Amino acid sequence: MKTESRRKNNSVLLLLKLHKYLGLMVFLVLLWLAVSGIALNHTSEFQLSKYTVNNATVKSLYGIPDLQIDRAVKLPRAWLLEVDQRFYFGEKTLSTLDYQPLVGAIQTPELLFVARTNSLLIYTHEGDFVDNLPVSDVVKAMDVLDGNLVLKTASACLSSNQSYTEFHTCSSQIRPFWQGLDVVLPNVQADFLRKYQDNGVSLEQVILDAHSGRLFGNAGVYFMDAIAVLIIVLSLSGFSLWLIRKYRRLLR
Amino acid sequence: MMRFLLFFLLFSSIARADESYMKPDDFINKTFVNTAPSPSIIWLAGDTKEKVSQILGHPYHKLRVKYWEVNNRTAWILDEIGKEKHITTGVVINAKGQIEEVKVLTFRETRGWEVKHSFFTDQFKQVVINPDTTLSQNIDGITGATLSVHALKVQARMALYLHENRKPTKK
């Protein structure tokens, strides 16, 4: 009898310990699930979709890279920036047929000339695409002399005609002041990110993914599954303890 | 053997992205047998711009179009988006206003490259433009290359229209 009673008490103690430690293990996650669950139930009232999360760590979890300026030229009207194989001039993204690295740029009173390794692109100051001129040799630098565009290539100097439709070998008389790339100042980088880095994730999406564990991929999902199993065990152990106490009170 | 075949097929499909078949300069030199003239320009403005936009279904992505002409025979190099990227095509039109040749110069898409083949481009030979800017002959499509086929057709129409209405301007 005594042994039976001791065994029963040990089982209850074991159940109590299990319940206690399980509770300790899951209480933080449970707290998070409760809070995020309430938030997700009231996304419209809290306007969660209006807010954007731009945190670098969160964005890296979604595979969204931070934009970096690769090359740049300072022009009178604005900076010409090469970012992630795209060109930006002021507020405008410049249209191109394909990607080649930026070599230099020049702004005349009428047009914007953008030199790339094997081509010259022509735009208006508003960023409208005028034309592109392939260059057979690798372009190193450019300049404008007396209304003619001059390109320095790996093996020669090329000068365009007045209508910028074709190139000819430069006259030996000219002395261009070759213009190339500029160093990007920190304020330029910051300004660009402010204008163009609106590629964060909505707060609603982040909360939803964190709630389900998907924010951390399959590992997060399996973690939440494990927590769910522990919560089930916690509920059952709690219910069992309640039943035992009630049964004992009845017996008394 | 099967693994090699699969690898070859995979590599060949990947290798087809962004292929240049002929440089624009080479196309012009071949068309005019090494006596290429200086290019003329048409600025797309006013009625011309509107008509070109109607043909393409959207504004042309450049403000001007270059062409080369000798004895009323013209050559055009145009760009048009297939699905997502531009296809650069050369079009030669003879003095009678008939298409002499359509040649895909650069293909940047990953699919639809079948339009580069002569079995497709030969269909454009001797085609002229109708008053409503449609082509005078039907061009058979290619399964799986619908958008590329469309791009080439509108480029042909645009070249024919500009050929008929060319009045070169210089700025």
Side-chain angles (χ1 to χ4, degrees):
Chain A
M1 261 316 255
K2 266 192 180 175
T3 319
E4 181 71 21
S5 168
R6 202 177 293 147
R7 214 158 22 113
K8 279 184 184 173
N9 279 340
N10 284 342
S11 301
V12 173
L13 275 170
L14 202 64
L15 203 56
L16 255 171
K17 271 188 181 173
L18 175 71
H19 188 80
K20 182 171 82 175
Y21 288 118
L22 268 179
L24 282 172
M25 277 167 66
V26 305
F27 94 93
L28 276 176
V29 180
L30 255 181
L31 212 59
W32 162 249
L33 286 172
V35 168
S36 58
I38 292 170
L40 291 169
N41 268 348
H42 301 277
T43 55
S44 324
E45 290 94 322
F46 295 145
Q47 295 183 318
L48 294 179
S49 56
K50 249 187 164 184
Y51 300 100
T52 307
V53 177
N54 269 308
N55 176 272
T57 309
V58 171
K59 287 205 296 188
S60 71
L61 289 171
Y62 282 94
I64 300 172
D66 251 348
L67 295 179
Q68 286 294 326
I69 298 175
D70 298 313
R71 293 172 190 83
V73 178
K74 190 174 190 309
L75 297 168
R77 187 171 165 134
W79 279 80
L80 176 72
L81 305 172
E82 179 192 320
V83 179
D84 195 25
Q85 299 193 359
R86 290 184 183 183
F87 294 155
Y88 299 85
F89 180 60
E91 304 291 319
K92 190 120 183 196
T93 308
L94 299 181
S95 167
T96 59
L97 285 175
D98 47 30
Y99 170 70
Q100 291 172 19
L102 178 67
V103 171
I106 282 179
Q107 190 179 341
T108 66
E110 288 182 339
L111 296 169
L112 169 66
F113 298 94
V114 178
R116 306 187 304 171
T117 48
N118 282 106
S119 62
L120 177 76
L121 307 179
I122 309 173
Y123 300 91
T124 64
H125 288 176
E126 289 70 40
D128 297 318
F129 194 14
V130 174
D131 205 352
N132 67 303
L133 298 175
V135 180
S136 54
D137 205 354
V138 176
V139 179
K140 299 284 190 186
M142 64 191 303
D143 196 9
V144 170
L145 290 175
D146 300 325
N148 292 328
L149 195 69
V150 183
L151 297 182
K152 180 183 179 183
T153 70
S155 58
C157 168
L158 300 174
S159 173
S160 77
N161 55 1
Q162 292 279 339
S163 54
Y164 312 111
T165 55
E166 46 185 6
F167 291 102
H168 306 284
T169 310
C170 297
S171 154
S172 58
Q173 312 293 326
I174 66 165
R175 293 283 181 265
F177 179 75
W178 296 117
Q179 301 181 50
L181 301 172
D182 291 307
V183 174
V184 180
L185 302 173
N187 62 318
V188 174
Q189 169 86 21
D191 195 40
F192 174 79
L193 289 177
R194 210 167 24 250
K195 274 184 204 157
Y196 289 98
Q197 184 110 38
D198 189 21
N199 60 347
V201 191
S202 81
L203 183 59
E204 181 183 0
Q205 188 65 50
V206 175
I207 292 174
L208 184 62
D209 290 337
H211 183 85
S212 66
R214 284 191 173 77
L215 187 64
F216 304 99
N218 282 339
V221 172
Y222 295 141
F223 174 76
M224 285 303 189
D225 288 345
I227 294 292
V229 169
L230 292 179
I231 291 171
I232 290 169
V233 175
L234 182 70
S235 308
L236 290 174
S237 62
F239 181 70
S240 304
L241 284 166
W242 173 80
L243 257 183
I244 290 168
R245 282 200 178 165
K246 187 166 175 156
Y247 178 68
R248 281 184 177 173
R249 265 192 230 125
L250 281 174
L251 282 179
R252 282 190 208 126
Chain B
M1 177 64 182
M2 186 57 76
R3 265 185 280 179
F4 171 77
L5 198 61
L6 283 171
F7 174 77
F8 174 76
L9 284 172
L10 176 66
F11 180 79
S12 63
S13 68
I14 292 168
R16 287 206 164 88
D18 227 271
E19 283 210 60
S20 183
Y21 307 116
M22 186 182 267
K23 289 181 182 175
D25 284 348
D26 293 339
F27 174 74
I28 298 301
N29 285 333
K30 179 182 89 73
T31 300
F32 297 103
V33 197
N34 291 325
T35 54
S38 293
S40 302
I41 304 168
I42 293 178
W43 284 92
L44 298 179
D47 290 343
T48 309
K49 182 178 179 180
E50 204 178 308
K51 205 62 174 180
V52 165
S53 299
Q54 275 179 20
I55 290 170
L56 299 177
H58 59 82
Y60 191 56
H61 73 126
K62 293 181 190 173
L63 293 183
R64 74 180 193 186
V65 176
K66 284 196 303 291
Y67 69 97
W68 293 257
E69 179 175 359
V70 174
N71 297 331
N72 290 321
R73 181 171 172 256
T74 60
W76 307 78
I77 295 178
L78 305 172
D79 311 296
E80 176 59 11
I81 289 182
K83 186 177 180 187
E84 291 168 349
K85 297 190 179 179
H86 284 95
I87 304 169
T88 300
T89 307
V91 182
V92 181
I93 301 171
N94 64 22
K96 295 178 191 172
Q98 300 168 324
I99 290 180
E100 208 175 278
E101 184 186 8
V102 168
K103 173 83 181 162
V104 175
L105 303 179
T106 304
F107 192 86
R108 299 176 181 85
E109 303 270 17
T110 52
R111 296 183 178 165
W113 44 265
E114 294 87 350
V115 293
K116 72 172 183 174
H117 289 300
S118 56
F119 71 74
F120 173 74
T121 56
D122 280 353
Q123 294 183 87
F124 289 93
K125 286 185 178 176
Q126 295 187 334
V127 168
V128 297
I129 195 168
N130 292 329
D132 64 353
T133 71
T134 54
L135 298 175
S136 60
Q137 292 173 24
N138 182 52
I139 306 292
D140 289 336
I142 300 174
T143 306
T146 309
L147 295 176
S148 299
V149 166
H150 173 77
L152 259 65
K153 282 164 75 172
V154 296
Q155 283 172 312
R157 288 170 62 195
M158 179 177 165
L160 283 166
Y161 170 78
L162 291 174
H163 175 90
E164 295 293 318
N165 295 275
R166 69 193 186 283
K167 284 175 216 162
T169 55
K170 290 199 174 181
K171 194 173 179 183

